[in-house]
Amino acid sequence: KILTDKNTSATICVYCGSTAIIKSRLRDKFNPEKIIPFAIDKKRVINTFYKFVRKKWFSPKEFSNKENIEKVEGIYIPFWIYDCMSDGKILATARKIRSWRVGDYRYTKTDTYKCVREGNMEFLKVPVDASLKFQDELMDSLEPYDYNGIKDFNISYLSGFLAQKYDVNEDESFFRAKVRIVNSTIDTLKSTIVGFSNIYIDRNEVDIKNIDGEYILMPVWMLNIKYKDKNYTFAMNGQTGKMVGNVPISKIKITLWSIIIWVVLLIISIILALV
């Protein structure tokens, strides 16, 4: 028997290590249109994790010990990607501030302008994680993916990996995509207002149209680390190798560096006093 949660569409048998694909969860509306295959193997994931931790100066030396790595899993995460057009308009207040001194007096002149910007933009493949099981912020931080690597979905890509089906539908997921599209449209229009000291957006209007969503599986490696009875989760983009996660801080290292800096500053002050 294979034990899974209700959204698992591919898993690994704990006895023989074979891939178990639950085909009933890959049918009809849950059948992905596209997939980005894994391009990184498990060995590279672990080596990248070691390098990632070593770059964190204040991490505990023993944090990346092999025995602390509880689980390393390659998972195909469900995403919706959206193509659309946006029509945007912003009304902004911009100021030019100039100061000068004459004798004992300082003068400041502020010129205020009303700025209007309008434009339309095309957005392609805006990704949104479609699984409640994984933190949205963690999945967002793994971007960008190289969409040149997109393939038509084939069940053979799931061999050797876990896979989840979506539990956030296309319409619900678009709410998050919409926030990103609106913010990007406003920021782009605002960036065309140049040569001012301060710029304030008074009003904005963004209309999104020609929305086209596509269901796709993205490759993610998940690492579970247990250190001093606390669990830490790291994630890696299974296509590009980008890794994210929070490393604990070593109080001993911080204390030692504080002492070293204090001693160095003390020596410098003594030398300056003697000169």
Side-chain angles (χ1 to χ4, degrees):
K1 292 183 178 181
I2 300 296
L3 301 177
T4 72
D5 63 35
K6 63 181 181 179
N7 292 314
T8 298
S9 51
T11 187
I12 305 296
C13 175
V14 296
Y15 298 102
C16 68
S18 298
T19 302
I21 297 175
I22 307 171
K23 294 182 179 180
S24 62
R25 297 179 182 176
L26 291 167
R27 293 174 183 160
D28 302 323
K29 66 179 182 179
F30 292 111
N31 184 38
E33 299 169 66
K34 304 289 182 180
I35 189 171
I36 295 182
F38 275 89
I40 293 171
D41 60 20
K42 188 174 182 178
K43 182 178 179 181
R44 181 176 166 188
V45 175
I46 295 174
N47 289 336
T48 301
F49 169 71
Y50 291 148
K51 294 176 182 177
F52 181 83
V53 174
R54 280 199 294 268
K55 290 179 180 179
K56 310 296 181 181
W57 286 13
F58 297 114
S59 65
K61 184 178 180 181
E62 64 278 10
F63 177 73
S64 59
N65 286 353
K66 187 176 181 179
E67 58 268 22
N68 291 333
I69 302 177
E70 286 199 322
K71 191 182 294 184
V72 181
E73 295 178 323
I75 308 175
Y76 279 108
I77 308 294
F79 273 74
W80 291 102
I81 56 176
Y82 300 92
D83 295 344
C84 66
M85 295 290 297
S86 74
D87 291 329
K89 178 179 181 180
I90 63 171
L91 302 178
T93 299
R95 295 188 175 94
K96 286 185 178 181
I97 301 174
R98 186 168 64 91
S99 297
W100 67 94
R101 181 179 292 277
V102 178
D104 294 332
Y105 296 93
R106 172 173 287 278
Y107 298 89
T108 299
K109 180 185 179 183
T110 301
D111 294 319
T112 302
Y113 301 83
K114 288 295 182 183
C115 300
V116 180
R117 293 291 188 274
E118 294 184 55
N120 54 71
M121 284 164 246
E122 182 181 20
F123 288 85
L124 299 175
K125 296 180 174 54
V126 179
V128 176
D129 151 38
S131 173
L132 294 173
K133 186 175 182 179
F134 302 95
Q135 296 179 10
D136 293 335
E137 295 78 9
L138 187 64
M139 294 298 104
D140 290 347
S141 61
L142 291 176
E143 296 177 27
Y145 286 87
D146 180 3
Y147 291 125
N148 290 321
I150 289 181
K151 307 290 184 183
D152 289 331
F153 177 73
N154 188 304
I155 204 168
S156 64
Y157 286 117
L158 303 185
S159 180
F161 300 100
L162 306 180
Q164 294 283 310
K165 68 180 180 68
Y166 71 81
D167 51 10
V168 183
N169 66 36
E170 182 178 352
D171 293 335
E172 292 171 334
S173 292
F174 185 70
F175 176 79
R176 286 189 61 231
K178 181 178 179 180
V179 172
R180 300 178 69 176
I181 292 164
V182 168
N183 289 338
S184 293
T185 300
I186 293 171
D187 289 344
T188 301
L189 292 174
K190 182 180 177 181
S191 69
T192 66
I193 305 174
V194 296
F196 297 93
S197 305
N198 299 302
I199 302 169
Y200 304 95
I201 303 295
D202 299 317
R203 196 176 71 182
N204 67 78
E205 299 173 6
V206 179
D207 179 38
I208 302 174
K209 56 189 180 182
N210 300 336
I211 303 166
D212 182 25
E214 197 170 27
Y215 179 33
I216 183 173
L217 297 182
M218 304 282 209
V220 176
W221 283 100
M222 303 294 295
L223 289 83
N224 294 323
I225 312 298
K226 190 167 186 179
Y227 175 70
K228 292 187 175 180
D229 297 323
K230 187 174 179 180
N231 294 317
Y232 296 84
T233 299
F234 292 81
M236 175 192 271
N237 184 315
Q239 181 196 39
T240 67
K242 180 181 180 181
M243 178 168 282
V244 297
N246 294 319
V247 177
I249 301 298
S250 170
K251 294 181 179 179
I252 295 176
K253 284 188 176 182
I254 290 178
T255 301
L256 287 174
W257 274 102
S258 299
I259 292 172
I260 291 172
I261 292 172
W262 181 82
V263 170
V264 170
L265 292 175
L266 179 62
I267 292 173
I268 292 174
S269 63
I270 292 174
I271 293 173
L272 291 176
L274 295 175
V275 173

